[in-house]
Amino acid sequence: MIDTELLKKQIEEQGQAVRKLKTSGGDPAQVNEQVAILLSLKDKLRIASGGSKEEPAKKSSGRSIALKVPKGTKDYTDKEMSLRSKIFNTIVGIFEKHGAVTIDTPVFELKEILTGKYGEDSKLIYDLKDQGGEECSLRYDLTVPFARHVAMNGISNIKRYHIAKVYRRDQPAMTKGRMREFYQCDYDIAGSYDPMIPDAECVRVAVEVLTRLDVGSFVIKLNHRKILDAIFEVSGVPEDKIRSISSAVDKLDKLPWSDVRLEMTQEKGLDGVVADKIGEYVQLKGGEELLQKLQELPELMASKKAQEGVADMSLFFKYARIYGILDRVSFDMSLARGLDYYTGIIYEAVLVEENVRPAQAQPTAKQAKDNELIDESQIRVGSIAAGGRYDELVGMFSAAKRARDKKTDVPCVGISFGIERIFSIIWSRMEESVIKANRTAVYVMSMRDGLLEERMRVATELWDNGIATEFAYKVKPRQQSQYDACDNNVIPWAVIIGKDEIEQGMVRIKNMVQKVEGEKMGVLVKRADMVTELKKRLEETPELI
Amino acid sequence: MIDTELLKKQIEEQGQAVRKLKTSGGDPAQVNEQVAILLSLKDKLRIASGGSKEEPAKKSSGRSIALKVPKGTKDYTDKEMSLRSKIFNTIVGIFEKHGAVTIDTPVFELKEILTGKYGEDSKLIYDLKDQGGEECSLRYDLTVPFARHVAMNGISNIKRYHIAKVYRRDQPAMTKGRMREFYQCDYDIAGSYDPMIPDAECVRVAVEVLTRLDVGSFVIKLNHRKILDAIFEVSGVPEDKIRSISSAVDKLDKLPWSDVRLEMTQEKGLDGVVADKIGEYVQLKGGEELLQKLQELPELMASKKAQEGVADMSLFFKYARIYGILDRVSFDMSLARGLDYYTGIIYEAVLVEENVRPAQAQPTAKQAKDNELIDESQIRVGSIAAGGRYDELVGMFSAAKRARDKKTDVPCVGISFGIERIFSIIWSRMEESVIKANRTAVYVMSMRDGLLEERMRVATELWDNGIATEFAYKVKPRQQSQYDACDNNVIPWAVIIGKDEIEQGMVRIKNMVQKVEGEKMGVLVKRADMVTELKKRLEETPELI
């Protein structure tokens, strides 16, 4: 059953990868991981060739399993989770300010729900093993499960957000941070409404989120699927080439027109005259004034689609002005977006400065690692959010329902944030040692004598008063180890007890992060006032937690 | 490849299930789901028998796919998610008050990481399809991934919580609410500390969580694995019978001793004399005073294990007294707990009243459905949290690391909350129509004339001031539909605008949930004061959001 030739080839490739990583001074954890993969491949080959799994010298060490996570996945540390949860809370706060609710769907769906929704990328869908029963696959995004949920429950309107993990069996490129398990963060408005009102609100939500998270200067590019379709129509692009030509147009953000034109004519066999005509249109970009310009192009405006698209965009600009986001948007005729299911406005938020990190001669090890974590695969370089209107996806599911139900379209518009990329940008700016992973406000310590029970009593009183408190889980902890615990966990306040203080009914409160003149030993307060005194300090310095 | 006989049998069983569900007046959504399964089985049979998937009459309706979620999984609605998130926030608040951090691990692990950790239940592990590459499985719980994380990263101590979904390919019993995807909520303390200090804190955390969530009267049963082992040892239970006898003992919470004794002697072939000796011990229960009683049993105390266990429990009671949780615990020698990996104290929180729901003649449809959602499979009837000390699990992974690392034990103690059950208890008490799924505070409405742009202007000002606001996405919404939106979404405040008011620079603020005498049309305030006036009202009535 096992193809030893394939294994040998894999071992050779993995060996090369490890050598490359080692010589390029790769992150030790990453080197270890890759070495583990190599060793496990070698194990497999040994067994396949009739040998024993364990090498003779290692027999005593028991079963040899690779202690690692699956390729393309990672554990998130406490500090990463702390930052992630702050970012999520900020985003959710904005979603909820706009009235959104959240729903949750299973991590896996029936395979046929996902079938036919992702075109070429369907090969990246993770399937569950058929262990008897239904065929299931891990969700590939959050949009298709949302559309399935809306259709299945006959929902006519909902404004929902969903932050959850999705799965893509892509070739993981750890060096680029292309992950197989990663978060998506979607905000969608479903329902039959008057034109462009929810659409403009989605862009307003994007502006609020990206501004509040302070990711750097950004602009939101806008276009309209119908205008794009009209351009291809009036330029004379054959029906069967529209898709590939559209994807060529989408490259105009990185390539000059001459290169894109070459791709159209040489690679894709488009007539040069047609390409030139497209070129005239798709190089147009600007603000509201571009609408005027489009309306003065009689050939384009002869198309009904163009008229509809321009009317939509005209409304959009009116609403965007009221929403105060005109300075953040750019009407860009080259924006095409890949997904087939868009039917109206499309948008994409991009960072204006390509290099968002502070310039420096040598990136630190953490920063070098951070760079690798930016997920280039999920979203284009510089792109941090994207979305648009998709009016027919829910209908695809409703239509698929058995004859007893009639087809019902539920028009949708939404935006998806490139949350992994946003996280990487914010993470790379932070000094890891000062990130506080816990929320502990007070550490109860004794100077000598242990005093475990008294420390427990103090902690209980603080817990009862809602104050986040820790103490050393030792009967007689060393003084230094207690100080270290405060430093390592960035705990701002200590309550210090000693035999003398207990006898006098006193405790000391000490600020552990900001040295206060003359308070090296902390401030002596009555034990009875301890909670009040601490609460006062915590209120005065909320930034320390 | 397809076993048509098996399919026929499945169709027959499914047909019976559907009929039973229909005659018992089952929930329509559930009936539909089960019918869909039946139809898809019939489709399969038709194809297997050489027929076409589509029935002739339905050919025009396109592909026929079952619009449903996989067996044993469910979507969570906005109201369910709203309650769920409140419960999670309460729990996380308590975990963080005790200094815990959170980490996240992938939804799937390498298959070999899970192998050999769950005994018999390993057959319930979901595997991913082998699409080339590593063999992976969905996580079965959060404890094994935690131990893997600690071992893999050489962590010597961490106090972490993790709330996430786990997967068990159990035969789903929707009527009992046994799910294949469900949440677990774990709090664990890993590290070498002095005895029983973190153990007592875990129980204190459980008491805080269950008290704060107000799930009903509960008691936390305690026992110690070493005392239990000593009992079996001194009673003379043969080594190979300890496991099955232990599981019989565990049934003493539901069965009388005579039944349990019968199971031991008749089913499991234990000597009657041995069973009687066990019976003397395991029927003991009580508070701290039980320690004294145990110490007066010379035969038991001759066992070193018993001495160690009793010493531990003695410390536990000392600390539990300081933590103020003595009235919540019950030392119960019959508590055995299933999992093999416990090495010290074990505990289980149980509801004291079996029937925690208010008595009533006829449960509502929602309540009947809620009852079904209680997951009896995950946790025993009445049990709402459980855990204990497991000092060797991390070591199992460290030992498995290659020879370059030496085996390192990281002792652990933890507690897992039966969060699905807790959710069901709280959910069943609530009136669904008053659950507010969104956080919207204000709905901007016009009495007539539409006034879309003005409504947008007001909403923008409120958003800019951090006030959660919605309005109708229509150019000219009907008055009634705007009122309905407030009712349906439990939105407490309306800002009402009209042409007259706009001209006068005024708006009306109306309380939509509490009728105020003489304010049927709301209170007229200056447009310039709108934000201040709303903020004042929101501060005064935080319970409305």
Side-chain angles (χ1 to χ4, degrees):
Chain A
M1 292 290 279
I2 293 172
D3 181 343
T4 54
E5 286 313 307
L6 179 65
L7 266 175
K8 281 178 189 165
K9 195 157 165 267
Q10 286 173 336
I11 289 169
E12 197 187 316
E13 283 172 9
Q14 185 64 23
Q16 279 168 2
V18 168
R19 279 187 295 277
K20 203 170 155 191
L21 203 59
K22 280 181 173 171
T23 52
S24 69
D27 175 54
Q30 214 185 328
V31 172
N32 283 346
E33 190 180 310
Q34 296 303 317
V35 168
I37 295 172
L38 180 60
L39 292 173
S40 100
L41 285 169
K42 284 185 176 173
D43 268 353
K44 276 191 191 166
L45 181 62
R46 203 170 303 117
I47 296 165
S49 318
S52 143
K53 186 171 181 179
E54 288 160 17
E55 294 170 51
K58 283 181 187 157
K59 266 200 175 142
S60 60
S61 72
R63 276 188 70 242
S64 145
I65 65 170
L67 205 53
K68 60 185 216 59
V69 293
K71 211 168 161 182
T73 70
K74 64 170 295 225
D75 288 340
Y76 291 91
T77 67
D78 54 356
K79 294 193 174 195
E80 286 170 332
M81 287 302 283
S82 170
L83 178 63
R84 206 164 267 264
S85 119
K86 274 183 196 139
I87 292 173
F88 286 170
N89 286 342
T90 301
I91 296 176
V92 165
I94 291 167
F95 290 167
E96 291 188 339
K97 201 174 76 180
H98 285 264
V101 297
T102 190
I103 62 159
D104 192 23
T105 62
V107 159
F108 48 85
E109 294 274 341
L110 292 181
K111 188 174 166 63
E112 60 182 359
I113 294 285
L114 307 189
T115 302
K117 306 299 184 303
Y118 304 106
E120 279 264 300
D121 289 341
S122 291
K123 65 180 188 297
L124 304 182
I125 293 174
Y126 267 103
D127 294 330
L128 293 190
K129 192 167 164 182
D130 186 356
Q131 293 167 292
E134 304 157 326
E135 284 184 72
C136 298
S137 304
L138 297 185
R139 64 182 166 212
Y140 182 85
D141 65 10
L142 302 175
T143 309
V144 166
F146 173 60
R148 191 264 308 145
H149 174 85
V150 169
M152 181 174 132
N153 295 287
I155 294 170
S156 62
N157 63 77
I158 185 171
K159 182 156 42 174
R160 86 88 180 77
Y161 68 89
H162 197 182
I163 303 179
K165 287 172 172 178
V166 300
Y167 299 87
R168 297 186 183 181
R169 216 174 49 76
D170 218 336
Q171 196 46 39
M174 301 305 269
T175 46
K176 284 190 198 162
R178 190 196 295 153
M179 302 296 281
R180 292 179 154 195
E181 175 186 64
F182 58 94
Y183 274 99
Q184 281 199 338
C185 169
D186 285 16
Y187 173 92
D188 293 84
I189 303 176
S192 288
Y193 299 118
D194 283 336
M196 305 312 284
I197 309 177
D199 312 55
E201 190 167 334
C202 281
V203 178
R204 156 92 193 191
V205 164
V207 170
E208 283 193 49
V209 166
L210 299 175
T211 306
R212 182 75 64 82
L213 289 178
D214 195 20
V215 288
S217 293
F218 66 90
V219 66
I220 299 182
K221 295 185 188 177
L222 309 167
N223 201 359
H224 197 290
R225 195 60 173 251
K226 287 182 180 171
I227 298 179
L228 212 50
D229 284 347
I231 290 173
F232 295 140
E233 192 184 298
V234 303
S235 302
V237 179
E239 193 67 35
D240 64 332
K241 285 205 164 67
I242 286 184
R243 200 167 159 172
S244 66
I245 296 304
S246 177
S247 101
V249 166
D250 211 33
K251 293 179 185 163
L252 268 175
D253 64 329
K254 285 192 288 284
L255 299 176
W257 167 247
S258 55
D259 288 11
V260 172
R261 187 186 184 284
L262 216 63
E263 181 179 328
M264 288 180 178
T265 52
Q266 303 234 317
E267 276 177 50
K268 292 169 179 167
L270 193 71
D271 187 322
V273 180
V274 175
D276 289 336
K277 221 162 174 186
I278 296 173
E280 278 172 37
Y281 291 117
V282 298
Q283 292 180 81
L284 297 173
K285 68 174 79 173
E288 208 172 352
E289 79 292 346
L290 183 51
L291 275 175
Q292 187 63 36
K293 206 164 175 179
L294 291 181
Q295 279 164 325
E296 287 159 9
L297 301 173
E299 196 181 8
L300 182 68
M301 294 310 290
S303 151
K304 188 161 170 286
K305 279 189 172 176
Q307 290 162 23
E308 288 171 0
V310 167
D312 269 359
M313 292 308 291
S314 169
L315 271 180
F316 178 88
F317 275 105
K318 185 161 89 173
Y319 300 153
R321 178 181 300 278
I322 297 174
Y323 285 164
I325 53 172
L326 269 192
D327 58 334
R328 291 299 201 168
V329 299
S330 161
F331 193 8
D332 187 331
M333 309 299 292
S334 74
L335 178 70
R337 305 264 307 124
L339 283 168
D340 278 346
Y341 56 58
Y342 288 114
T343 55
I345 192 172
I346 49 180
Y347 32 76
E348 181 168 283
V350 292
L351 289 174
V352 175
E353 310 136 284
E354 263 311 295
N355 186 0
V356 292
R357 281 173 215 92
Q360 54 188 89
Q362 278 287 63
T364 65
K366 173 170 171 295
Q367 281 163 338
K369 207 178 150 210
D370 294 338
N371 284 338
E372 288 167 8
L373 283 175
I374 295 181
D375 189 353
E376 313 289 6
S377 73
Q378 301 318 325
I379 234 166
R380 289 195 298 187
V381 178
S383 169
I384 45 176
R389 175 161 285 281
Y390 54 103
D391 283 348
E392 288 156 16
L393 192 60
V394 174
M396 280 175 72
F397 286 110
S398 311
K401 273 174 105 167
R402 292 187 166 266
R404 66 187 126 91
D405 300 298
K406 64 175 198 294
K407 181 176 185 295
T408 332
D409 268 345
V410 182
C412 298
V413 62
I415 181 134
S416 182
F417 292 88
I419 195 70
E420 299 286 356
R421 190 178 170 84
I422 289 170
F423 173 79
S424 294
I425 291 169
I426 298 175
W427 175 256
S428 68
R429 278 195 212 134
M430 304 185 80
E431 198 51 61
E432 196 166 350
S433 66
V434 302
I435 298 175
K436 185 168 167 67
N438 59 70
R439 307 268 296 161
T440 308
V442 176
Y443 200 83
V444 184
M445 55 171 78
S446 60
M447 280 298 91
R448 61 200 81 82
D449 308 315
L451 302 171
L452 171 65
E453 293 179 37
E454 188 57 22
R455 284 184 286 129
M456 283 181 161
R457 249 173 238 119
V458 171
T460 304
E461 190 177 340
L462 298 181
W463 289 331
D464 286 342
N465 282 281
I467 298 171
T469 304
E470 289 190 273
F471 60 91
Y473 292 150
K474 295 275 184 189
V475 175
K476 287 200 177 187
R478 287 181 306 116
Q479 192 174 319
Q480 190 55 45
S481 71
Q482 296 176 89
Y483 274 105
D484 290 348
C486 290
D487 285 350
N488 297 339
N489 298 306
V490 201
I491 300 173
W493 299 98
V495 167
I496 306 173
I497 56 174
K499 270 193 179 156
D500 293 349
E501 285 88 347
I502 293 175
E503 277 164 22
Q504 295 156 20
M506 306 293 275
V507 296
R508 289 180 181 277
I509 295 177
K510 183 168 155 65
N511 186 326
M512 300 301 285
V513 287
Q514 294 160 339
K515 280 185 183 144
V516 181
E517 191 75 37
E519 292 183 11
K520 207 183 157 207
M521 289 300 295
V523 180
L524 205 60
V525 305
K526 279 190 200 146
R527 169 66 195 267
D529 299 336
M530 173 182 72
V531 169
T532 319
E533 290 284 341
L534 277 170
K535 281 194 172 171
K536 199 179 77 187
R537 284 168 174 76
L538 293 173
E539 271 169 31
E540 284 166 5
T541 54
E543 73 282 1
L544 296 182
I545 307 300
Chain B
M1 291 291 278
I2 294 173
D3 182 342
T4 54
E5 286 313 308
L6 180 64
L7 264 175
K8 281 177 190 167
K9 197 157 163 272
Q10 285 173 338
I11 288 169
E12 196 188 317
E13 284 173 8
Q14 185 65 22
Q16 279 167 2
V18 167
R19 279 187 294 279
K20 203 171 155 191
L21 203 59
K22 279 181 175 170
T23 53
S24 70
D27 176 55
Q30 214 183 328
V31 173
N32 283 346
E33 190 180 310
Q34 296 303 316
V35 168
I37 295 174
L38 178 61
L39 292 174
S40 100
L41 284 170
K42 285 185 175 174
D43 268 353
K44 273 193 192 165
L45 180 63
R46 203 170 301 119
I47 296 164
S49 318
S52 143
K53 188 171 179 179
E54 289 161 20
E55 296 170 50
K58 283 179 187 157
K59 266 199 170 142
S60 60
S61 73
R63 276 187 70 242
S64 147
I65 65 170
L67 203 56
K68 60 185 215 61
V69 294
K71 214 170 160 181
T73 69
K74 64 169 296 220
D75 289 339
Y76 292 91
T77 66
D78 53 356
K79 294 194 174 194
E80 287 170 331
M81 287 303 284
S82 170
L83 178 62
R84 206 163 266 265
S85 118
K86 275 183 196 139
I87 293 173
F88 286 170
N89 285 343
T90 301
I91 296 177
V92 165
I94 291 167
F95 290 166
E96 291 187 341
K97 201 175 76 180
H98 285 265
V101 297
T102 190
I103 62 159
D104 192 23
T105 63
V107 159
F108 49 85
E109 295 274 340
L110 292 181
K111 189 175 166 61
E112 60 183 358
I113 295 285
L114 306 189
T115 302
K117 305 301 184 303
Y118 304 106
E120 279 263 301
D121 289 341
S122 292
K123 65 179 185 300
L124 303 182
I125 294 174
Y126 267 104
D127 293 330
L128 293 191
K129 191 166 164 182
D130 186 357
Q131 292 167 294
E134 304 157 325
E135 284 185 72
C136 298
S137 305
L138 297 184
R139 63 183 165 210
Y140 182 85
D141 66 9
L142 302 174
T143 310
V144 166
F146 172 59
R148 189 266 306 147
H149 175 85
V150 169
M152 182 175 132
N153 296 288
I155 292 169
S156 62
N157 62 78
I158 184 171
K159 180 156 43 173
R160 86 86 179 78
Y161 67 91
H162 196 182
I163 302 180
K165 287 173 173 179
V166 300
Y167 300 87
R168 297 185 184 182
R169 216 175 49 77
D170 217 336
Q171 196 47 38
M174 301 304 270
T175 47
K176 285 191 198 160
R178 191 197 293 152
M179 302 296 281
R180 291 179 156 193
E181 176 185 62
F182 59 94
Y183 274 98
Q184 283 199 336
C185 169
D186 285 15
Y187 172 92
D188 294 84
I189 304 175
S192 289
Y193 298 119
D194 283 336
M196 305 312 284
I197 308 176
D199 312 54
E201 190 167 334
C202 281
V203 178
R204 156 95 194 187
V205 164
V207 170
E208 283 193 50
V209 166
L210 299 176
T211 306
R212 182 75 63 85
L213 290 178
D214 194 19
V215 287
S217 293
F218 66 90
V219 65
I220 300 182
K221 296 184 187 176
L222 307 167
N223 200 359
H224 197 290
R225 195 59 173 250
K226 287 182 178 170
I227 298 178
L228 212 50
D229 284 348
I231 289 174
F232 296 139
E233 190 184 300
V234 304
S235 304
V237 179
E239 192 68 36
D240 63 333
K241 285 203 165 61
I242 285 184
R243 199 165 161 173
S244 66
I245 296 304
S246 177
S247 100
V249 165
D250 210 33
K251 293 178 185 165
L252 268 176
D253 63 331
K254 284 191 291 283
L255 300 177
W257 166 247
S258 55
D259 288 11
V260 171
R261 187 185 184 281
L262 216 65
E263 179 177 331
M264 288 180 176
T265 53
Q266 303 231 319
E267 277 178 49
K268 292 170 178 168
L270 193 70
D271 188 321
V273 180
V274 174
D276 289 336
K277 222 164 173 181
I278 296 173
E280 279 173 36
Y281 292 115
V282 297
Q283 292 182 79
L284 296 173
K285 68 173 79 174
E288 206 173 354
E289 80 290 346
L290 183 53
L291 274 175
Q292 187 63 34
K293 205 163 175 181
L294 291 181
Q295 279 163 327
E296 287 161 8
L297 301 171
E299 195 180 8
L300 183 68
M301 294 310 291
S303 151
K304 187 162 172 284
K305 279 189 172 176
Q307 291 163 22
E308 289 171 359
V310 167
D312 269 359
M313 291 310 289
S314 169
L315 271 178
F316 177 87
F317 276 104
K318 185 160 89 174
Y319 299 154
R321 178 181 301 279
I322 297 174
Y323 285 164
I325 54 172
L326 268 193
D327 59 334
R328 291 300 201 167
V329 299
S330 162
F331 193 7
D332 187 331
M333 309 301 291
S334 75
L335 177 71
R337 307 262 308 122
L339 282 168
D340 278 348
Y341 56 58
Y342 289 114
T343 55
I345 191 173
I346 49 181
Y347 32 77
E348 181 168 283
V350 292
L351 290 175
V352 175
E353 310 135 285
E354 263 310 295
N355 185 1
V356 292
R357 280 173 216 94
Q360 54 187 89
Q362 278 287 62
T364 65
K366 173 170 172 292
Q367 281 164 336
K369 205 181 150 209
D370 293 341
N371 284 337
E372 288 167 8
L373 282 175
I374 296 182
D375 189 351
E376 314 291 3
S377 73
Q378 302 317 326
I379 233 166
R380 290 195 297 186
V381 178
S383 169
I384 45 175
R389 175 161 285 282
Y390 53 102
D391 283 348
E392 288 156 17
L393 191 61
V394 175
M396 279 173 71
F397 286 111
S398 313
K401 274 175 103 168
R402 290 186 169 269
R404 66 186 125 89
D405 300 298
K406 64 175 194 295
K407 180 176 185 297
T408 330
D409 267 345
V410 181
C412 297
V413 63
I415 182 135
S416 183
F417 292 88
I419 195 69
E420 299 285 356
R421 191 178 170 81
I422 290 170
F423 173 79
S424 294
I425 291 170
I426 299 174
W427 175 256
S428 68
R429 276 195 214 135
M430 304 185 80
E431 198 52 61
E432 196 166 349
S433 66
V434 302
I435 298 175
K436 187 169 164 66
N438 61 69
R439 307 269 297 162
T440 308
V442 176
Y443 198 83
V444 184
M445 55 172 79
S446 60
M447 280 298 92
R448 62 200 80 83
D449 309 315
L451 300 172
L452 171 65
E453 292 180 37
E454 188 57 23
R455 284 183 286 130
M456 283 181 160
R457 249 172 238 121
V458 171
T460 303
E461 190 177 340
L462 298 181
W463 290 332
D464 287 342
N465 282 281
I467 297 171
T469 304
E470 289 190 271
F471 59 92
Y473 292 151
K474 295 276 184 188
V475 175
K476 287 200 176 186
R478 286 183 305 116
Q479 192 174 320
Q480 191 56 45
S481 71
Q482 297 177 87
Y483 274 104
D484 290 349
C486 291
D487 285 351
N488 297 338
N489 298 307
V490 201
I491 300 173
W493 299 99
V495 167
I496 305 173
I497 56 174
K499 270 193 177 155
D500 293 349
E501 285 89 348
I502 294 175
E503 276 164 22
Q504 295 156 19
M506 308 293 276
V507 297
R508 291 181 180 275
I509 296 178
K510 182 169 156 61
N511 187 325
M512 301 299 284
V513 288
Q514 295 160 338
K515 280 184 182 142
V516 181
E517 192 74 38
E519 292 184 8
K520 207 186 156 205
M521 289 300 295
V523 181
L524 205 61
V525 305
K526 278 189 201 150
R527 168 66 195 266
D529 298 337
M530 175 183 70
V531 169
T532 319
E533 290 286 338
L534 277 170
K535 281 194 171 168
K536 199 178 77 190
R537 284 166 174 77
L538 293 172
E539 271 168 31
E540 283 165 6
T541 54
E543 72 283 0
L544 296 182
I545 307 301

